[in-house]
Amino acid sequence: MNIHFDPVLRIFSISTDHSSYVFGINDKGILQHLYWGDPVAAADCAPLLGSRSHSSFDAALDREAEEYAYWGGLSYMEPSLKVRWHDGVRDLRLDYEGYAIEQQDGRETLTIMLKDEYYPLQARLIYTVFPGLDLIERSAVIDNCGSQDIVLENVQSAAWTMPVLPRHRLTHVTGKWSGEFQLRNTDLSEGKTVLESRRGFTDGHANPWFAIDGGNASEQSGQVWFGALAWSGNWKIVAEKTAFELVRVTGGINDFDSEWTLQPGHSFATPTFVGGYVSDGFGAMSRMLHRYQYEVVAPDRGLRKVLYNSWEATYFDVNVQDQMELAERASRLGVELFVIDDGWFGQRNHDHAGLGDWTVNSDKFPNGLGELIHKVRGLGMEFGIWVEPEAVNPDSDLYRSHPDWVYHFPTRSRTELRNQLVLNLSMPEVKSYILSFMSELLGQHDISFIKWDMNRTITEPGMHNHPLNRQKELWTRHVHSLYEIWAELREKFPHVAFETCAGGGSRIDFGMLRYADQAWPSDNTDAFDRLSIQEGFSYVYTPKLMTCWVTEEISGMNKRATSIAYRFHSAMTGTLGIGANLNHWSKDQLAEAAALVDQYKAIRPLVQEGRQYRLGMLKHKGVEAVQYVGSDGNGGEESVLFAFLHSQKLGDRLPRLLLQGLNPDKGYRIDGIDGVHSGQSLMRIGIELPLRGDFDSLMYHIREQ
Ligand code: DGJ
């Protein structure tokens, strides 16, 4: 048993292999957080339990550490739950009612029941423990047990209380289109630091996770507390520090412009907020979260395929002839999955028209898609296709027939972004339109991969099909409906893999990753820019989910020229794809690319399923390095190292790079370097990197001997 309740001390404890999480019910009936960190005996936390007051201005300090902060009485911090009753009262008083510990599907779950002292509302706080991963999943379910509506003005998934530390340093990512997942850290000061999306989807300007350390954790050492939300709509993570040095991180669906009317007899379940603690640095944090994806979140379908995507090669100028030629060349390189992107349907000759009309364009494909699919299959590859089901161009048959199918306010103009509007997914007819065209597409064609895109944010959030007092449910309803659509499609077409994309990396989160097999992190395919995007991505998400394309020698993005090897190495650190116009590549270029695809296939299990180590020690010299370690299938260990040099001044030698994750007592051979090297020497003395000049790179395959 990993979950325990001491009825005398009134203390709950959740233990994982390397951590303890402890809270109790105090003398005021408040569910008070007590401890989270290295393992302790729950009883030793007893002295921490108890209400505390400083003055009438700081009357309930214990509520600063509340497990789930209801807004009512003496609660002034970021609330976890805020409601409005039918009679206009806006005060909540949750009393502890009881608990249940259950085993389900081999997982242990704790449910704490809280009830309002007067009104018929029950809150169930749910904790699921993953002992081997040192993670706890938290969420809340709110039940309306009465006969009147209850308005949920704010309902968060969980609040995580941090220990007292000399500093509380917050690590997170920020970004923009084509520059997603940029790492940042900042010391928290008193007040709130808010990470959030208000744009309708997860967003590339931030991503729903946080990590907190005492200011001194590194990749390989130090205590780190962290969490990530499984929500693909508007979300919010608030790190709040009080004058009494308490830090609490609250997260869930963003309460901005949001409300949910909970009808009698109904329940509202929040998304999951997974949290964890490690004592050995950010690298360990990421590896835990990666394992969580492999073992818990992401549907496993084995190794991801080397894909070709024609977007950057042909853009909207798609036609069967060009695509067949690209497919022939792609197959000669060893590509396993050929994907056609935007432009194959309706009047989609540019981004001004056609979106929403999901019939094959007969000028581009006179014999339907079948001709291309037959060719691709004949070449030994699988076939994939792009869709953007949630959006519509006003210049489309769909919009002309159903102008009321988009979110809008009747008195306002409809803001177009990339010349498109967003479909109102809360309408049953819209949902069934999407399900039926997708089912037709997948049912009538031999398609194994869908790239699901979404190229704009939501504006004018009005749903004419809902009562005026329920308009603010839109942000949540969109996501619920989207999840339902994905779940139904996955169930109906279990052989189809899905990629989540939103103009790049704007919809990547643990909510979406329950359905998606892989993710498109950014439209920026410049091999150097990608390194920092991919590093930020890797803090939480696995390399296996990260699709990376090799594109042209001179990047269309920022005109930087890099070699084929550099571009491949950068893309080989995730799931390899190719997005260049192969019809323009020379024989020599194609031969070099084919050899690199072969090399990727040899190390793919390490990248996609091994343990990832970010080697940042030479960053100050312009070197990015990342290493993967896994099993060689014969009881031994194998590893691969990628290193990238930005630029070098003449005579500026690089210090040796220390590897990680190897067995110190084993000997290893490195392709291209003579001799056998002990794990100990590779990790303590390191290896020399023969990188020179600008944008140089290497890949070393390291095998236990
Ligand atoms: C945005 C995506 O991120 C691109 O990869 C491409 O699919 C375009 N949309 C197509 O419109």
Side-chain angles (χ1 to χ4, degrees), residues 337-355:
L337 166 68
F338 183 84
V339 184
I340 59 164
D341 211 279
D342 201 349
W344 58 269
F345 52 89
Q347 291 310 305
R348 189 74 169 162
N349 300 316
H350 37 64
D351 62 15
H352 288 258
L355 197 59

Side-chain angles (χ1 to χ4, degrees), residues 295-316:
E295 294 172 24
V296 183
V297 181
D300 191 32
R301 290 156 174 268
L303 296 173
R304 303 299 185 258
K305 302 202 162 47
V306 176
L307 65 79
Y308 177 82
N309 180 299
S310 62
W311 173 242
E312 289 197 25
T314 54
Y315 292 104
F316 294 102

Side-chain angles (χ1 to χ4, degrees), residues 177 180 309 311-312 315-316 341-343 348 351 355 386-388 418 420 451 453-455 499 501-505 520-525 549:
W177 175 78
E180 299 86 344
N309 180 299
W311 173 242
E312 289 197 25
Y315 292 104
F316 294 102
D341 211 279
D342 201 349
R348 189 74 169 162
D351 62 15
L355 197 59
W386 176 98
V387 289
E388 187 175 355
R418 208 188 187 209
Q420 63 195 53
K451 173 177 174 184
D453 205 348
M454 170 60 170
N455 280 296
E499 181 174 66
C501 167
W520 180 233
S522 181
D523 274 356
N524 187 341
T525 57
W549 301 345

Side-chain angles (χ1 to χ4, degrees), residues 437-448:
F437 89 71
M438 284 299 297
S439 301
E440 210 168 295
L441 181 67
L442 293 173
Q444 292 181 359
H445 300 98
D446 187 358
I447 292 174
S448 346

Side-chain angles (χ1 to χ4, degrees), residues 6 26-27 86 94 208 261 266 288 300 318 324 362 398 463 497 509 517 545 551 560 585-586 661 666 685:
D6 184 325
N26 75 12
D27 49 312
H86 67 278
L94 292 181
T261 300
H266 284 236
M288 273 309 177
D300 191 32
V318 175
M324 292 212 285
S362 55
L398 181 70
M463 303 180 290
D509 58 80
D517 300 276
L545 299 172
T551 51
R560 178 182 288 121
W585 280 29
S586 69
K666 299 276 170 149
I685 295 168

